[in-house]
Amino acid sequence: MPKISIKGLAMPESPIRKLVPYAEAATKKGRTIYQLNIGQPDIKTPAKALAAVKTNNIEVLSYSHSAGFESYRKKLAAYYKKNDIEISSNDLIITTGGSEALLFAMGTIADADDEIIIPEPFYANYNGFATSSGVTVVPVQSNIEDGFALPPISEFEKLITPKTKAILICNPGNPTGYLYTREEISQLAEIVKKHDLFLVADEVYREFAYDGATHYSIMSVPGLEEHAIMIDSVSKRYSMCGARIGCIASKNKEVMKTAMKFAQARLSPPTFAQIASEAALDTPQEYFDEVIEEYTSRRNTLVKGLEEIDGVIVAKPKGAFYCIAQLPIEDAEDFAKWLLESFHLNNETVMVAPAAGFYSTPGTGLNQVRIAYVLKEEDLKRAVEILKAALKEYRA
Ligand SMILES: Cc1ncc(COP(=O)(O)O)c(C=O)c1O
């Protein structure tokens, strides 16, 4: 048989999806599974976005401009302005999800074997995008003890080599739920300027900031124009994961010119989904107010429930809709499989994502899981009850 590429063999499996066969087997046995493992929100997509696709009378579903519809980009620039991000429609390219924007960013700034420093734990697919791009991920460790705050800048400096091209952050963080402060963003801005690096920020959870905190974008930092590259998406903001629309934005003209070549090579982002995403920009503030209220109470219920379980440590998330919980066990992957294969409480069980897949330093995060609070509150309460009973039985 012809050989598979080394790159293909090195592509990591998604830690979120690798338990799926166990879940399928549990479902076949008739078990109900509370899925705490994936970030698929149950919130309704804004009606306006769906209506824009249903009611339009397109006769030829053509390509769009490679950078996306101009009308959408203009409206998007206005949305950013409202969020203290001063960019024009020419400073952004519409992509097929934040995922493609991340690939464009890596392709634009890094060559094979170049390094990108990322605080870990981080969104696991960064590993996949890095492997696709031939880029080496260099992790800098953040810790559950301080809620996954930004590691000291001295730790970043120790890792910078001639191959370092960028620091990549996720703000608010998946899987940590950490929301970087203005001071932390300013510290990162200083270090990338000092070492002439790019600062890439994945801000797909921008709206999801709790307890009155506001998100501070790298695009709002004065003097960072040549260094800052923002990744964004409609997936979580409007609960439109299936639309597959995101964007890459930067004031750095060379970055955008180069990203545009990647955009041209794939011709255009999806047309129908751009129509939906453009219409979604008319979503009233009340939608977000309600969503934030809902997630805040889900988070409070989840964190309280987890904290009440003996031996569980949880970093209270300040944003996004995930948290990392440290469990009083040694091997969270084994536990997650056992939950699906061997445990049930009245024929119900839970599915969690083992957190080791969100770290790139081998041997870290082994006793942690990532929990997404994308279920209704009563379901979250029940899921925590099941988890509590399961831990008791697993440790017995
Ligand atoms: C941190 C983060 N970045 C990027 C993405 C990719 O999102 P999409 O490609 O759906 O825009 C996700 C999806 O879960 C995510 O959690």
Side-chain angles (χ1 to χ4, degrees):
M1 194 186 105
K3 279 212 177 98
I4 298 298
S5 68
I6 294 170
K7 191 191 261 187
L9 294 173
M11 271 299 279
E13 245 189 300
S14 160
I16 307 161
R17 293 178 193 272
K18 78 178 175 193
L19 294 173
V20 168
Y22 296 89
E24 283 169 352
T27 309
K28 274 201 188 122
K29 281 194 238 168
R31 300 261 150 87
T32 300
I33 305 171
Y34 292 93
Q35 295 211 321
L36 302 173
N37 59 313
I38 47 169
Q40 169 60 58
D42 63 349
I43 304 286
K44 283 216 170 113
T45 303
K48 278 190 179 175
L50 299 173
V53 174
K54 285 182 196 152
T55 58
N56 80 77
N57 53 7
I58 286 181
E59 289 184 350
V60 178
L61 197 53
S62 57
Y63 292 123
S64 71
H65 190 288
S66 293
F69 296 155
E70 197 187 0
S71 56
Y72 178 34
R73 282 185 287 122
K74 283 194 167 148
K75 220 164 139 182
L76 200 51
Y79 154 84
Y80 286 123
K81 201 178 167 74
K82 274 200 275 168
N83 284 275
D84 290 331
I85 297 170
E86 291 285 341
I87 52 174
S88 82
S89 56
N90 295 326
D91 302 325
L92 57 94
I93 294 173
I94 307 302
T95 54
T96 306
S99 304
E100 190 181 59
L102 282 155
L103 277 168
F104 286 1
M106 289 193 189
T108 298
I109 63 177
D111 286 309
D113 295 331
D114 279 345
E115 296 168 359
I116 297 186
I117 301 175
I118 315 180
E120 69 173 355
F122 55 77
Y123 175 52
N125 283 330
Y126 293 161
N127 280 322
F129 302 139
T131 306
S132 297
S133 314
V135 170
T136 303
V137 169
V138 177
V140 53
Q141 207 161 337
S142 66
N143 300 299
I144 197 162
E145 288 77 22
D146 56 10
F148 298 106
L150 188 74
I153 288 297
S154 55
E155 294 301 308
F156 284 88
E157 293 216 280
K158 279 184 204 157
L159 299 170
I160 293 174
T161 73
K163 284 182 178 281
T164 308
K165 297 308 282 284
I167 294 174
L168 165 60
I169 57 164
C170 182
N171 187 30
N174 172 8
T176 62
Y178 190 75
L179 182 72
Y180 289 112
T181 62
R182 194 174 262 262
E183 290 67 37
E184 287 171 323
I185 296 293
S186 305
Q187 285 172 21
L188 285 166
E190 286 313 309
I191 187 181
V192 295
K193 281 194 282 183
K194 180 173 162 195
H195 295 275
D196 205 18
L197 306 174
F198 288 104
L199 179 59
V200 183
D202 179 338
E203 302 187 354
V204 307
Y205 295 97
R206 172 180 310 109
E207 268 76 15
F208 303 90
Y210 309 125
D211 308 325
T214 44
H215 174 261
Y216 184 54
S217 172
I218 60 161
M219 300 297 282
S220 308
V221 182
L224 201 63
E225 292 77 10
E226 297 303 315
H227 301 264
I229 302 174
M230 176 181 70
I231 306 298
D232 209 348
S233 168
V234 303
S235 291
K236 316 289 163 157
R237 177 171 312 135
Y238 305 112
S239 197
M240 280 172 65
C241 295
R244 310 308 307 128
I245 290 289
C247 77
I248 177 170
S250 178
K251 299 278 271 186
N252 180 320
K253 300 278 177 232
E254 285 302 308
V255 164
M256 293 315 288
K257 199 170 127 195
T258 310
M260 189 58 187
K261 292 191 273 181
F262 287 91
Q264 284 166 349
R266 62 74 163 115
L267 303 176
S268 78
T271 296
F272 266 140
Q274 286 187 80
I275 292 172
S277 303
E278 186 171 335
L281 285 166
D282 292 328
T283 304
Q285 183 55 37
E286 298 84 74
Y287 173 91
F288 296 106
D289 294 344
E290 274 171 33
V291 170
I292 297 307
E293 202 183 311
E294 175 67 25
Y295 278 116
T296 305
S297 60
R298 286 178 183 189
R299 176 203 61 172
N300 292 346
T301 300
L302 175 72
V303 171
K304 185 168 174 282
L306 289 172
E307 281 175 346
E308 280 166 12
I309 306 177
D310 231 13
V312 172
I313 298 171
V314 52
K316 189 172 186 181
K318 297 171 181 174
F321 34 70
Y322 308 94
C323 70
I324 293 274
Q326 189 160 300
L327 307 179
I329 55 170
E330 274 173 19
D331 185 345
E333 182 161 333
D334 182 68
F335 176 64
K337 282 183 191 158
W338 175 85
L339 278 169
L340 296 169
E341 272 191 316
S342 312
F343 179 80
H344 70 95
L345 194 64
N346 289 335
N347 217 17
E348 295 180 322
T349 191
V350 293
M351 188 168 178
V352 291
F358 297 91
Y359 287 84
S360 77
T361 305
T364 45
L366 295 179
N367 59 351
Q368 298 176 355
V369 291
R370 185 195 72 167
I371 295 180
Y373 41 101
V374 290
L375 304 180
K376 288 179 189 56
E377 248 179 293
E378 65 264 26
D379 290 349
L380 281 175
K381 276 190 192 149
R382 178 69 185 148
V384 171
E385 258 170 42
I386 296 169
L387 203 58
K388 186 175 177 178
L391 278 168
K392 199 167 166 198
E393 190 171 315
Y394 184 81
R395 296 169 74 204

